[in-house]
Each structure stands twice: as structure tokens, then as C-alpha cells.
């Protein structure tokens, strides 16, 4: 008993000395400091670009949001007045609601369809070709896609022709102001689905096929295999895709502007999101440009993105599974 305890104590002492020796060796490594300086030179250009083009403009936008400024000349400090303007502006409220619809309704539909496609494509022959086809809308410019979307939904377009072929002779007026935002949301789902399907398929490709075989032998149906095998093993990728969608959905601009607007004029305020609102306030508002409310709108959306990303990361935080 005593000798075992003595050996254990000696072993612990040896382990401690070994750890100390390794730590000291790492500290006095003659290549350690030059290696760190070498890394700094690689990181420094990207850091400078990030500070100049992201951090400083963000700080400037926050500063402008507390001022009345037409874009030239001196600024007039107004405190929270610009945020009060947003609070009482019905156009901003409707734009904010439209932005939330894009985040949650379009995002939810996009992910549901993407999940369905990933499960359908997982065992499909020629899935790489199909993946390329559904990714195609992301290759084209958003302006080109919006023009194509307009041709599809015009009065004599492909959508109404297909509906007439199945007996629907009085289709909705798709481009009417009351239906326009719904058509925009459908278009955003179509544009986004291929991108997120590709991301999720990349996660599924990492999962060993024998796990699906074992689940199938155990009697699991496709939905159970997805819920108990696919989703847990690609949870981190799903969380990352949700964060990407949250950030990108706030910045959607070209599709709405080109689809619902036209050369030289903005679309109806009923289809504006906050990106269009900020643009209109700063660059396209009648009379004197109002950079203060535009900057305040941009800052509100920055806070919204930060909160949503934090909530997503909190809600999707799980222990990583090894496979």
C-alpha cells in the first residue's frame, strides 16, 4: 500500500517535471518569436482592410445617426431624434416588418425545402448534376434573376400559361401592389434554396453511409433517419447556415429594387425592406437627403442582426458529435 502510494507520488512528480520542461522548452524556443512575427505580417493586411472598410464605416454610421446631415456641410447634433423619426415613421415600420418576413418566412421556407432536397438527393443517381442545376440561380446577378422573375409572373407569362393549362383562367394579378411582396418572397426562396441545399449537402456527404445502413436495418423510416442521424451529425453546419441567412437577408436590395422598381424610380413603399428604406433616405428621397435617419435605420438593423445571431448561436449550441 505504502510503496504504491510512494510510486504514485513519484509518478506525479515526474509528470509535473515533464510538463514544466515542455512548457519551458516552448517558452525558450528560438523560433517561437520569429514565427509569431511572421504570422503578424500575413494577418496585418487583412486586419487593416477590415478596419478601414468595415470597422471605421460602422463607427461613422453610428456617429451620423445622432446628427442631422444632408451629406455635405456641417452636422447638427440631434441626439436620439433620428431614432424617434424611425419609431413614428409608418414607412420604416412596414419596411421593418417586411425585413422580419424575409428573415423568418422566407428563411423558414428556404430551409424546409433545402432539407427536403438534401434527403431526396442523398441517394439519387446524378445528384451532382442536380445540385449544379439548383445552384444555378446563385451564379447569375440578382438583377438578371429579378428581370426573369418579372417575365415569369407578368400577365402573359409562363406562370399564368401553366395555370391556364390546368384550367385556372383567372389567376391572381401577381404584379399588383397587394400581391407584389408575396411574389418577391417566392422569388427569394427560389434564389436562396440552391445555395443552402449545397451547404447542407456538403454536411451530409461527411456522414458515413454505414450509419444510415444501420438505422435502416433497425427499421427507421426516412424521417426518423433524418431526425436521429442526419440532423444531429450536421447540427453545426445547420447553425452556420442559419447565421449566414440571417446576415444576408438583412442586406437584400437588388432583387427587390430591380423587380418591383424601374429605371430612375423606387418601388412602392409597401415592398420596401430596411435596406431600401436606408437607400431611399440617403440617396433617393425627394428634396434634401436625410443621412441621419438612413444611418439610424442601418444601425437598428446592425443591432437586430447581432441579437438574432447571438440567439441562434445560443439556441444551437450543442456538444459536437464525433463520427
Amino acid at each position: 500500500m505504502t510503496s504504491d502510494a510512494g510510486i504514485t507520488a513519484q509518478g506525479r512528480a515526474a509528470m509535473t517535471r515533464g510538463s514544466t520542461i515542455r512548457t519551458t522548452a516552448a517558452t525558450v524556443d528560438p523560433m517561437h518569436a520569429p514565427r509569431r512575427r511572421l504570422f503578424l505580417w500575413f494577418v496585418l493586411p487583412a486586419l487593416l482592410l477590415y478596419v478601414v472598410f468595415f470597422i471605421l464605416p460602422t463607427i461613422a454610421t453610428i456617429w451620423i445617426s445622432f446628427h442631422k446631415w444632408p451629406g455635405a456641410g456641417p452636422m447638427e447634433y440631434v441626439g436620439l431624434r433620428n431614432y424617434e423619426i424611425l419609431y413614428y415613421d409608418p414607412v420604416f415600420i412596414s419596411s421593418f416588418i417586411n425585413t422580419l418576413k424575409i428573415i423568418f418566412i422566407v428563411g423558414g421556407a428556404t430551409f424546409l425545402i433545402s432539407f427536403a432536397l438534401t434527403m431526396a438527393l442523398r441517394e439519387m443517381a446524378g445528384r451532382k448534376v442536380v445540385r449544379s442545376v439548383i445552384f444555378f440561380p446563385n451564379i447569375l446577378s440578382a438583377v438578371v434573376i429579378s428581370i426573369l422573375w418579372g417575365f415569369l409572373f407578368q400577365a402573359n407569362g409562363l406562370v399564368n400559361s401553366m395555370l391556364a393549362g390546368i384550367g385556372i383562367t383567372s389567376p391572381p394579378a401577381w404584379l399588383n401592389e397587394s400581391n407584389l411582396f408575396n411574389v418577391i418572397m417566392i422569388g427569394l426562396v427560389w434564389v436562396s434554396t440552391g445555395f443552402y441545399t449545397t451547404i447542407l449537402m456538403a454536411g451530409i456527404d461527411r456522414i458515413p453511409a454505414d450509419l444510415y445502413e444501420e438505422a435502416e436495418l433497425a427499421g427507421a423510416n426516412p424521417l426518423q433517419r433524418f431526425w436521429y442521424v442526419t440532423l444531429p451529425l450536421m447540427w453545426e453546419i445547420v447553425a452556420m447556415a442559419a447565421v449566414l441567412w440571417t446576415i444576408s437577408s438583412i442586406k437584400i436590395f437588388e432583387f427587390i429594387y430591380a423587380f418591383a422598381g424601374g429605371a430612375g424610380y423606387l418601388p412602392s413603399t409597401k415592398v420596401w425592406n430596411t435596406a431600401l428604406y436606408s437607400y431611399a433616405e440617403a440617396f433617393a428621397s425627394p428634396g434634401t437627403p436625410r443621412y441621419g435617419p438612413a444611418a439610424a435605420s442601418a444601425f437598428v438593423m446592425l443591432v437586430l442582426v447581432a441579437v438574432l445571431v447571438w440567439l441562434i448561436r445560443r439556441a444551437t449550441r450543442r456538444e459536437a458529435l464525433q463520427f
Side-chain angles (χ1 to χ4, degrees):
M1 263 312 199
T2 306
S3 88
D4 289 344
I7 292 171
T8 303
Q10 292 173 0
R12 289 177 180 173
M15 291 172 62
T16 303
R17 287 196 300 272
S19 176
T20 304
I21 290 171
R22 286 193 297 271
T23 304
T24 305
T27 304
V28 299
D29 183 4
M31 294 297 295
H32 185 65
R35 193 179 298 120
R36 291 186 60 183
R37 288 195 293 270
L38 180 63
F39 292 157
L40 177 62
W41 287 111
F42 281 104
V43 173
L44 188 60
L47 179 61
L48 289 175
L49 290 174
Y50 187 79
V51 170
V52 171
F53 291 103
F54 288 94
I55 301 300
L56 293 181
T58 301
I59 296 173
T61 300
I62 297 172
W63 175 254
I64 294 171
S65 71
F66 296 105
H67 293 78
K68 180 180 179 182
W69 188 48
M75 294 183 180
E76 178 187 347
Y77 181 77
V78 294
L80 297 176
R81 175 59 182 164
N82 290 323
Y83 294 94
E84 293 179 7
I85 291 174
L86 298 184
Y87 184 78
Y88 292 106
D89 187 355
V91 177
F92 174 78
I93 300 301
S94 65
S95 302
F96 187 83
I97 292 173
N98 287 341
T99 300
L100 294 180
K101 288 180 180 179
I102 291 173
I103 294 173
F104 294 106
I105 298 178
V106 175
T110 298
F111 277 86
L112 284 176
I113 297 174
S114 298
F115 279 128
L117 286 175
T118 54
M119 297 308 298
L121 294 175
R122 190 179 65 83
E123 298 177 353
M124 179 185 293
R127 60 178 181 172
K128 292 184 178 179
V129 176
V130 177
R131 189 187 305 185
S132 301
V133 171
I134 62 176
F135 188 77
F136 180 74
N138 293 272
I139 301 175
L140 299 177
S141 167
V143 176
V144 175
I145 293 295
S146 64
I147 294 172
L148 172 62
W149 204 243
F151 281 121
L152 291 177
F153 282 92
Q154 63 184 355
N156 298 320
L158 180 62
V159 173
N160 286 348
S161 299
M162 293 175 62
L163 292 176
I166 58 175
I168 301 177
T169 56
S170 300
W174 301 109
L175 302 183
N176 190 24
E177 194 175 82
S178 59
N179 297 321
L180 195 56
F181 192 73
N182 293 329
V183 176
I184 289 173
M185 289 197 295
I186 295 172
L188 292 174
V189 171
W190 177 60
V191 171
S192 305
T193 297
F195 177 74
Y196 290 96
T197 300
T198 303
I199 293 179
L200 297 178
M201 283 296 298
I204 287 183
D205 289 343
R206 298 170 55 245
I207 301 175
D210 58 339
L211 295 180
Y212 289 103
E213 294 174 1
E214 292 178 7
E216 191 172 358
L217 290 174
N221 58 40
L223 182 60
Q224 290 173 327
R225 292 198 296 271
F226 170 77
W227 187 258
Y228 293 106
V229 178
T230 304
L231 191 58
L233 294 180
M234 61 181 296
W235 188 254
E236 282 297 321
I237 295 176
V238 173
M240 179 200 69
V243 170
L244 285 176
W245 168 253
T246 302
I247 296 172
S248 62
S249 62
I250 298 292
K251 301 184 292 183
I252 292 172
F253 175 81
E254 299 95 333
F255 186 91
I256 301 175
Y257 183 86
F259 175 71
Y265 64 91
L266 289 168
S268 168
T269 56
K270 291 186 177 181
V271 301
W272 283 13
N273 63 346
T274 50
L276 265 168
Y277 180 88
S278 298
Y279 171 79
E281 289 294 307
F283 302 108
S285 59
T288 305
R290 304 196 305 171
Y291 279 81
S297 172
F299 182 59
V300 168
M301 300 318 297
L302 176 64
V303 173
L304 176 64
V305 168
V307 171
L308 289 178
V309 169
W310 180 78
L311 290 175
I312 290 172
R313 296 305 297 171
R314 290 274 300 180
T316 57
R317 182 183 301 169
R318 296 188 181 182
E319 185 178 353
L321 298 177
Q322 301 295 328
F323 58 92

